[in-house]
DNA sequence: CGATCTTACGGGATTCGTAAACATA
DNA sequence: TATGTTTACGAATCCCGTAAGATCG
């Protein structure tokens, strides 16, 4: 079983040309080479495919029977190659990005817009999930890559820091905090706070920071979405300690914000990829775009 | 484009085995060879097909995409090869035999019965046509072979004598002719004759024989079929000069027959094949059976 | 004799197998 | 350390192209 596609191509071309000489020149091989290819195919199939007539070659009935099947095989192979090239050339494909909601809202829209402009054939799904699920998604190959904090040290995954998302305190314009350049957590503790739901990474970070400082805060309201929290702050219900990236995710008009001086309130966000798994062409391209964007727009807008 | 089926086979086997080593041993090649084959396919397709994990290899999503198309291509190729082998091995095929009506009636039934017993997959058509059309059918490839007399010297056809069909005179038992061992045409001319229609080879031969001898006969009746002629003879309407093979074609009970001593009344019947055209496997086998039968049952029953 | 397929043969590329290197669990 | 993939390299094989041979019109 030593067959290839060259023999099939030779056969089809010869059948079409009705001449070994013409077929050979069409395929850019010498005529004896084509004769050999035909003979190899005939030996493999066990039937004579052509009647050699010195003047022209004509298909035998057996050869005519093989015409359609072999043609289809060749077509399907070329189609399969084309499909693979489409994937490799980013003309087609699917890409699933897992990202923290804040990142998904702040960073991804621009990135995806630019990416899709270049590669319109790539279908992109975004899984905006809490930090805890990020690594699971990537590990289980439900996402090609993750964007978020590096929480659990997972040997099957790789982390590459992209930006540091410092948390800021947001407050309405004119609030007493306006005067301080970098308030401490302790200084903020006496104001009522809008906080996100337990389980969100923002809440966890805030929780750890408070615990570490032995502080406690008054919770004015607990909301699920950053944009809701911003709305609450604007309405004067309280202040909120939120990622700086919130600026991009929600309309912060009429609000002021200051960095909070606390180590727990800065997260190193980055790219999470599977160590073993070869990234898909689309994933590679997206990661490249990601790293390019990191340079042009460093550390949280 | 330097691809063959070995690479595809290697890919499918490796995907199934989940290990290059196992796949290699399953395909009876060394493991490095298989690695190379996989790499060749990856280069041709432009995508990485496997994630090498040192412990096992797993398909990438791109590889999974290629699985079905490549599997199908391989299946179709093998099916095409199998189909060709069926033709070559006489498990399938079609065979058209053109033959004189007398041959078709006398010889072919036994021959075809035996042939079909050995090769039940071959579909056999018999074209029983007058001698004049025989060569045309073979020349136009409407028949794989012809059985009949060599009339027109056609350079595109080949003739191989198989048997000599001497014409006999048929007469009712008790007829005056019973006493003669080999009557002459002249001796027969005075009896009324049953003749076949003009255009049939039997009639032509008789016509030439009479013309050559300057004889004339009384035509008692003119019929189309040999069996009709035999019926006429039996009824005593006249005698008939017919091929000896008529014995096999019609019931000749109650009739006697003697060879007629006349050169024109013996026909060399044989095999007519196209010179250029390669006979199909089925035709080759049939011809072989034909020649074997010639030995075991020479010259007209 | 001209056109075309087949055969023969030498050179070059391809591919295979063995052995060593390499990488992970 | 053990297993399994990759790399390296020598050898065998395969394949092509040129040239000569054969055959039919």
């Amino acid at each position: 079983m030593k067959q290839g596609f060259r023999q099939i191509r030779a056969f089809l071309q010869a059948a079409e040309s009705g001449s070994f000489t013409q077929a050979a020149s069409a395929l850019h091989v010498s005529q004896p080479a084509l004769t050999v290819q035909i003979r190899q195919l005939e030996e493999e199939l066990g039937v004579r495919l052509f009647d050699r007539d010195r003047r022209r070659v004509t298909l035998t009935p057996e050869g005519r029977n093989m015409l359609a099947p072999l043609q289809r095989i060749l077509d399907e192979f070329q189609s399969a190659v084309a499909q693979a090239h489409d994937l490799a050339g980013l003309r087609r494909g699917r890409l699933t990005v897992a990202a923290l909601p804040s990142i998904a809202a702040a960073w991804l829209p621009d990135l995806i817009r630019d990416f899709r402009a270049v590669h319109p054939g790539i279908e992109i799904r975004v899984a905006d999930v809490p930090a805890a699920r990020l690594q699971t998604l990537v590990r289980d190959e439900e996402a090609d890559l993750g964007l978020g904090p590096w929480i659990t040290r997972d040997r099957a995954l790789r982390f590459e820091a992209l930006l540091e998302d410092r948390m800021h305190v947001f407050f309405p314009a004119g609030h007493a905090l306006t005067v301080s350049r970098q308030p401490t957590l302790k200084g903020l503790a006496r104001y009522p706070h809008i906080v996100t739901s337990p389980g969100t990474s923002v809440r966890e970070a805030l929780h750890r920071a408070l615990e570490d400082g032995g502080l406690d805060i008054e919770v004015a309201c607990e909301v699920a979405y950053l944009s809701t929290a911003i709305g609450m702050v604007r309405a004067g219900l309280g202040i909120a300690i939120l990622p700086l990236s919130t600026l991009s995710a929600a309309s912060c008009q009429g609000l002021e914000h200051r960095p909070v001086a606390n180590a727990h309130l800065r997260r190193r966000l980055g790219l999470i990829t599977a160590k073993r798994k070869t990234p898909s062409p689309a994933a590679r391209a997206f990661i490249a775009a990601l790293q390019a964007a990191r340079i042009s727009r460093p550390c949280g807008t």
Side-chain angles (χ1 to χ4, degrees), chain A:
Chain A
M1 257 192 242
K2 203 117 188 47
Q3 284 306 350
F5 290 99
R6 275 190 313 300
Q7 282 82 353
I8 297 179
R9 225 184 296 278
F11 166 65
L12 296 173
Q13 184 64 48
E16 186 179 337
S17 301
S19 151
F20 284 8
T21 304
Q22 291 178 32
S25 98
L27 295 173
H28 307 296
V29 295
S30 75
Q31 181 274 327
L34 189 129
T35 291
V36 171
Q37 291 173 349
I38 299 289
R39 191 178 51 211
Q40 288 172 336
L41 188 58
E42 285 180 331
E43 285 168 3
E44 168 84 20
L45 297 178
V47 295
R48 194 147 242 268
L49 297 171
F50 288 102
D51 279 319
R52 279 75 159 177
D53 194 303
R54 320 296 170 184
R55 206 84 195 139
R56 79 181 97 246
V57 292
T58 53
L59 283 169
T60 62
E62 292 76 40
R64 221 168 296 132
N65 281 344
M66 304 311 294
L67 208 53
L70 292 181
Q71 179 70 256
R72 199 170 46 155
I73 287 168
L74 197 61
D75 289 346
E76 289 191 4
F77 178 68
Q78 289 176 339
S79 151
V81 171
Q83 185 184 336
H85 284 174
D86 279 352
L87 290 175
L90 302 174
R91 286 178 293 280
R92 271 196 49 219
R94 182 173 310 182
L95 176 68
T96 302
V97 180
L100 278 191
S102 59
I103 297 182
W107 267 60
L108 283 185
D110 284 358
L111 236 116
I112 290 178
R113 176 172 40 73
D114 295 350
F115 187 85
R116 292 221 48 166
V118 182
H119 307 298
I122 305 288
E123 180 184 333
I124 303 181
R125 288 196 319 163
V126 174
D128 47 342
V129 296
R133 279 203 64 203
L134 259 182
Q135 278 155 295
T136 315
L137 282 179
V138 176
R139 165 184 265 280
D140 296 351
E141 305 194 12
E142 289 174 39
D144 292 283
L145 53 94
L147 292 172
W150 184 240
I151 298 177
T152 65
R153 184 170 196 76
D154 188 331
R155 320 233 352 140
L157 301 180
R158 187 197 320 274
F159 179 76
E160 181 192 350
L162 283 179
L163 59 95
E164 192 162 77
D165 192 23
R166 293 186 60 170
M167 295 180 78
H168 282 216
V169 57
F170 289 75
F171 48 85
H175 190 280
L177 283 170
T178 309
V179 296
S180 82
R181 278 184 49 93
Q182 184 162 344
T184 61
L185 189 58
K186 187 174 180 181
L188 300 175
R190 56 191 174 108
Y191 299 106
H193 279 246
I194 315 294
V195 298
T196 58
S197 314
T200 63
S201 62
V202 172
R203 177 69 176 270
E204 298 294 337
L206 179 58
H207 184 68
R208 279 195 302 276
L210 292 170
E211 207 166 43
D212 185 59
L215 300 170
D216 201 3
I217 56 171
E218 174 192 345
V219 173
C221 194
E222 186 177 291
V223 302
Y225 297 104
L226 296 182
S227 54
T228 312
I230 290 297
M232 298 283 185
V233 172
R234 185 182 295 111
L237 270 70
I239 65 174
I241 295 176
L242 300 173
L244 180 56
S245 60
T246 307
L247 281 174
S248 311
S251 162
C252 295
Q253 258 196 336
L255 265 58
E256 298 270 343
H257 61 92
R258 299 287 183 276
V260 180
N262 184 292
H264 288 101
L265 297 184
R266 48 178 60 185
R267 303 183 298 177
R268 291 177 60 235
L269 301 182
L271 171 66
I272 300 169
T273 51
K275 204 179 284 184
R276 310 193 210 333
K277 189 176 171 300
T278 309
S280 75
R284 258 197 302 279
F286 193 83
I287 290 172
L290 212 57
Q291 290 165 337
R294 177 200 187 187
I295 295 168
S296 67
R297 185 171 55 164
C299 290
T301 303

